[in-house]
Amino acid sequence: MLHYFRKLLTVGAAFLCSFAYAEEELVSADELLCAMRDMTVSQGNKDVMGSIRKGRNKVPFSLSARGETIVFQYKQNNAWNRFDVRIKETNVDLIRVVKGKAQVMAASAYATPIAGTDVCYEDLSLRFLYWKGGKIVDDAANSRIKGRDCYIVEVANPKPSVGQFAWVRMWVDKENGTTWQIDGYGKDGNLRKRFTITSVQKLDDGTWFFKQMKLEVKDPKDPSRNSSISYLEMEDLKK
């Protein structure tokens, strides 16, 4: 989901933005997380349309930035539902908006699937970007995704009882900052979800934006197998 907000929500920009680091430059995991965190904040207000698809179930959605609030809307049973992600310095709040009234979402609802898909509220919020004390994993044998050299960033949930993940591992492109893959692990140490960019689109300004992201939900009895799959698919963008 995940590295898309800054370019996605500013006029004429795109998902695969660049915060390039020279390969020899030393960076910390927290610096990489901070850079990705900054990308979630935008002054733009462009609405972006897409859909969440699971099998034959296709759920239209839109998102836009309003100051430091990201507004998500999704359509279910011919009605639009809204929730907001309010970005703070050290965390994010998830807010339900019903008939114009806002209410902080209970943590127990973070992992609630949206409209029958595998995508939940916590997945879209990128809450893990605000966790502190991350580390860069030295694993050269597994550091390439789609032929790209990546930093492997690992960060633990400071409150493992809150949310679906005890820790998260991310593959961040060393050259352009793209987050190609995100793995979320449960308290039992098993992989629970994997997010992977499967296709991208090039925009008129020469930058790139994800076209499709795949979300694999792992079988709790055998994490090497998928129990279900959903897709986050974006409409074509010209700028």
Side-chain angles (χ1 to χ4, degrees), residues 128 131 135 137 152-158 160 164-171 182-193:
F128 52 81
W131 298 346
K135 63 181 181 180
V137 177
I152 302 177
V153 179
E154 195 172 286
V155 59
N157 187 345
Q164 60 190 326
F165 302 135
W167 54 284
V168 171
R169 178 175 285 188
M170 294 162 276
W171 280 257
I182 301 171
D183 286 355
Y185 291 82
K187 288 183 289 186
D188 58 2
N190 289 331
L191 178 63
R192 295 191 61 177
K193 284 185 176 180

Side-chain angles (χ1 to χ4, degrees), residues 25-169:
E25 183 179 355
L26 297 177
V27 295
S28 69
D30 283 347
E31 286 172 333
L32 289 169
L33 287 171
C34 182
M36 288 186 281
R37 221 167 31 239
D38 289 344
M39 292 176 187
T40 68
V41 180
S42 169
Q43 299 303 313
N45 59 3
K46 181 180 180 180
D47 290 337
V48 178
M49 302 298 297
S51 62
I52 305 170
R53 178 172 58 85
K54 181 179 180 181
R56 295 183 179 180
N57 182 23
K58 192 172 184 179
V59 181
F61 78 94
S62 71
L63 58 93
S64 61
R66 301 175 184 176
E68 293 190 351
T69 297
I70 300 171
V71 177
F72 289 89
Q73 297 188 78
Y74 63 92
K75 192 173 184 180
Q76 185 178 22
N77 298 326
N78 295 317
W80 285 91
N81 302 272
R82 173 179 165 182
F83 78 97
D84 295 351
V85 178
R86 293 183 183 173
I87 301 168
K88 297 183 176 182
E89 184 176 351
T90 57
N91 62 7
V92 295
D93 283 338
L94 306 188
I95 310 293
R96 293 186 188 275
V97 181
V98 180
K99 295 182 179 180
K101 295 184 178 180
Q103 183 176 7
V104 176
M105 187 182 298
S108 59
Y110 287 0
T112 302
I114 294 175
T117 72
D118 298 318
V119 179
C120 67
Y121 298 104
E122 184 176 39
D123 296 336
L124 291 178
S125 75
L126 303 179
R127 196 172 65 89
F128 52 81
L129 293 182
Y130 292 82
W131 298 346
K132 303 296 184 182
K135 63 181 181 180
I136 294 179
V137 177
D138 185 10
D139 187 2
N142 295 299
S143 64
R144 291 179 67 85
I145 296 286
K146 295 184 179 295
R148 305 289 300 179
D149 287 324
C150 295
Y151 295 106
I152 302 177
V153 179
E154 195 172 286
V155 59
N157 187 345
K159 296 181 179 180
S161 61
V162 177
Q164 60 190 326
F165 302 135
W167 54 284
V168 171
R169 178 175 285 188

Side-chain angles (χ1 to χ4, degrees), residues 217-236:
V217 179
K218 298 300 180 177
D219 185 337
K221 296 181 180 180
D222 183 1
S224 67
R225 301 173 62 89
N226 295 329
S227 62
S228 62
I229 298 175
S230 291
Y231 295 89
L232 185 66
E233 298 171 328
M234 307 307 300
E235 292 185 359
D236 290 334

